[in-house]
Amino acid sequence: MKKTIGAAIAIALAVSGTHAQSISPDELNSRSIQRRAIEAVIWGMPAVNYDLMLQEMFAKTEGKVGQAIYWGRPLDWHNQTLTPNPDALYFMVFFNTKDGPVVLDLPPGDNDGSFNGNIVTVWQMPLEDAGLLGADKGRGGKYLVLPPGYSGKPPDGYVTLQSDTFGGYMLFRSNLRSHGPADVATSIAYGKRLKVYPLAQAENPPATVFTDVKDVNYDSTIRYDESFFEHLDRMVQSEPWLQRDRAMIDQLKTLGIEKGKPFQPADATKTLLASAAREARALLEAKYDAGLPPFFSTTSRWTFPAPPDLIKAAQEGYADPEQYPVDQRGMAYSYAYIGIKRLGSGQFYLISIRDKDGQSFEGGQSYRLTVPANPPVEQYWSVTAYDRQTHALIKNMSRASRSSQIPELQKNADGSVDIYFGPAAPAGKESNWVPTDPNRKFELMFRAYAPTKALFDHSWKLSDVERIAATVGGATKN
């Protein structure tokens, strides 16, 4: 068969009479694999992003699908997921509906706690938001995830979510009053009120198993090598083809990924796949570095958290047949995870990768962000520094963020707050300082939980980050 295809290519080239006659059929085949593999990385990014987190749970923890893993303290650099929030207690529930619908039974908000949650598919398409500003409006509720093609009649009393994949997960953020030990313990206890169980056992649900993974080096950063395609193959084998993605079936066959068949690429193909993964990374990084749309003004260095057309498409379940922003989706899931149904209701995010003067943030320099008075949030705001290359928390740092939950945070006379970033704390400003690695670039994310109108009508504006001279122990260092 390969000889027949090769002969056909050779004949076609000969007939064409172009300079392409000098390209051998083997070289053409290699080029095809390279091109298609690059596109596969971009297309498959959210599913591989998901599988990296799932496989890390299997490999490094005792957690299982249908249980809950959680981080029993505010996140630190041991959590190497993409742009996580160090100012909430994280609970993650991976579920699978191959054996039938799954119930996510979530607690109401009360004096003991509250949460913000998001439920997504394997492709990280949002199914629903939960919690204070989700579908249950803080009253709690039973969210019922239905498998693809489900034809039964869902029982009453559930928030019914029709998924187009078997797998998926929920991110449950148990809110913190502060980072103090007592408030952390209260937040953990509140989070442990969530339940997950099959609908078939709803009459007598088993106890939900919780596994604390706070000390695990949990690394789901994107691997731009041949292993990317192993994760992608796992998704193809375990999930149904979506109608919108059927054009990828033959594309992936070229790479050796085919439903029902083992993925066993030859060494030469592995080399091409690794090269393609690196090139895809360069493409995605260049797209990200070019900048997302500015949020406050055309010159603001604070941008939307993802391309607006992607946000809209994902929230609508990619229902518009004229729109499918795969390139934008690939970029977004190279630096973040989760999908939010109503972005701007429960939470909103802003990203900055450059200072006021348009320069990239350097971990060896010092910077100041002024958060104006009267921040437009009903819950809290925070700002977090991430490693610019990995998009994870900066390794070996004592902390990653500062937030309005920090009692010792110093305020200025006008109610504004100055947050400092750099390798050393400015004199007298330790409480307002986020450390950076002098050998690494970094990026920033500002979070607004339960944001108010003033954020979106821009009557309140976040200033750009300014580079400053470092002052350590009273001495100024340029």
Side-chain angles (χ1 to χ4, degrees):
M1 181 66 179
K2 287 185 177 178
K3 289 184 178 180
T4 302
I5 294 173
I9 292 172
I11 291 170
L13 290 174
V15 171
S16 72
T18 68
H19 68 280
Q21 295 177 61
S22 60
I23 304 174
S24 71
D26 286 345
E27 175 64 17
L28 281 170
N29 186 55
S30 294
R31 291 186 182 189
S32 177
I33 291 174
Q34 178 90 4
R35 287 194 302 269
R36 290 183 169 190
I38 292 169
E39 295 304 320
V41 170
I42 295 170
W43 166 78
M45 183 63 72
V48 170
N49 180 318
Y50 157 89
D51 193 54
L52 281 161
M53 293 189 288
L54 178 64
Q55 298 306 318
E56 196 74 351
M57 179 183 76
F58 289 150
K60 293 185 179 177
T61 82
E62 296 179 359
K64 295 179 175 62
V65 171
Q67 301 179 357
I69 59 172
Y70 71 99
W71 282 261
R73 62 170 175 256
L75 300 186
D76 59 24
W77 64 268
H78 292 87
N79 180 304
Q80 287 287 293
T81 57
L82 302 183
T83 54
N85 181 1
D87 295 292
L89 265 292
Y90 269 27
F91 289 73
M92 288 188 78
V93 174
F94 290 93
F95 56 81
N96 195 294
T97 61
K98 276 190 175 179
D99 295 327
V102 171
V103 179
L104 301 169
D105 190 343
L106 308 180
D110 54 30
N111 290 334
D112 293 324
S114 63
F115 76 95
N116 291 279
N118 310 101
I119 305 164
V120 302
T121 71
V122 159
W123 289 95
Q124 307 205 54
M125 185 189 79
L127 292 173
E128 191 51 271
D129 303 333
L132 286 174
L133 295 163
D136 59 276
K137 303 299 183 185
R139 295 186 294 268
K142 297 178 180 180
Y143 290 76
L144 181 64
V145 185
L146 304 177
Y150 185 76
S151 58
K153 184 181 184 302
D156 295 332
Y158 292 86
V159 179
T160 303
L161 310 178
Q162 178 61 66
S163 180
D164 56 11
T165 65
F166 293 113
Y169 72 97
M170 174 182 65
L171 181 62
F172 179 107
R173 307 172 194 80
S174 186
N175 291 320
L176 287 166
R177 291 189 179 92
S178 77
H179 287 217
D183 285 335
V184 169
T186 298
S187 182
I188 292 171
Y190 176 78
K192 286 186 175 181
R193 289 165 58 184
L194 74 84
K195 302 173 185 176
V196 54
Y197 48 86
L199 176 63
Q201 299 180 35
E203 292 298 321
N204 186 27
T208 301
V209 176
F210 292 87
T211 302
D212 189 349
V213 299
K214 66 178 180 294
D215 293 319
V216 174
N217 289 324
Y218 198 98
D219 187 348
S220 65
T221 53
I222 308 300
R223 276 70 150 169
Y224 292 94
D225 56 29
E226 65 272 17
S227 71
F228 187 99
F229 300 91
E230 296 171 7
H231 291 279
L232 189 56
D233 175 69
R234 187 179 292 110
M235 294 295 93
V236 169
Q237 302 304 331
S238 61
E239 293 292 342
W241 277 106
L242 304 182
Q243 186 65 26
R244 65 175 179 264
D245 289 327
R246 291 182 67 245
M248 292 300 296
I249 294 175
D250 273 10
Q251 302 273 3
L252 294 184
K253 282 183 183 178
T254 306
L255 312 181
I257 296 176
E258 184 175 356
K259 188 176 285 292
K261 294 186 177 181
F263 178 52
Q264 297 174 333
D267 289 343
T269 301
K270 287 182 181 179
T271 300
L272 289 171
L273 295 178
S275 175
R278 292 191 295 271
E279 186 168 340
R281 178 179 194 166
L283 285 168
L284 294 170
E285 175 60 28
K287 194 174 184 67
Y288 180 65
D289 195 64
L292 292 159
F295 182 76
F296 292 106
S297 71
T298 57
T299 59
S300 174
R301 300 297 179 185
W302 289 102
T303 71
F304 280 86
D309 59 339
L310 170 63
I311 295 170
K312 181 175 184 294
Q315 290 173 335
E316 296 174 351
Y318 302 100
D320 185 346
E322 304 297 329
Q323 303 288 332
Y324 193 19
V326 172
D327 288 355
Q328 304 282 43
R329 186 180 70 178
M331 176 189 67
Y333 285 98
S334 72
Y335 64 79
Y337 70 95
I338 204 61
I340 298 173
K341 190 76 171 176
R342 301 176 189 84
L343 183 65
S345 179
Q347 63 261 43
F348 196 75
Y349 311 95
L350 297 167
I351 290 175
S352 183
I353 62 174
R354 290 185 173 84
D355 66 18
K356 183 178 181 179
D357 298 321
Q359 301 300 309
S360 297
F361 293 120
E362 301 285 347
Q365 302 298 325
S366 295
Y367 301 86
R368 179 180 59 232
L369 166 67
T370 298
V371 180
N374 304 312
V377 293
E378 292 179 353
Q379 292 183 11
Y380 68 93
W381 63 261
S382 70
V383 61
T384 307
Y386 300 99
D387 187 295
R388 179 67 177 78
Q389 183 176 0
T390 66
H391 308 294
L393 297 175
I394 304 170
K395 288 185 176 180
N396 301 311
M397 296 294 107
S398 58
R399 61 175 174 242
S401 69
R402 294 282 81 185
S403 83
S404 57
Q405 305 154 313
I406 307 299
E408 64 270 23
L409 205 64
Q410 299 177 40
K411 290 186 176 182
N412 299 319
D414 63 357
S416 65
V417 176
D418 291 330
I419 305 295
Y420 299 88
F421 308 90
K429 300 295 183 180
E430 167 76 26
S431 61
N432 290 38
W433 168 64
V434 177
T436 59
D437 184 336
N439 298 312
R440 309 282 294 182
K441 291 179 183 291
F442 68 95
E443 60 195 4
L444 299 174
M445 182 176 286
F446 184 89
R447 288 177 167 85
Y449 270 74
T452 62
K453 183 174 177 288
L455 179 66
F456 301 106
D457 67 15
H458 302 166
S459 57
W460 182 94
K461 294 182 180 179
L462 189 61
S463 61
D464 291 328
V465 178
E466 297 181 275
R467 182 175 162 180
I468 60 173
T471 56
V472 183
T476 299
K477 295 184 178 182
N478 293 311

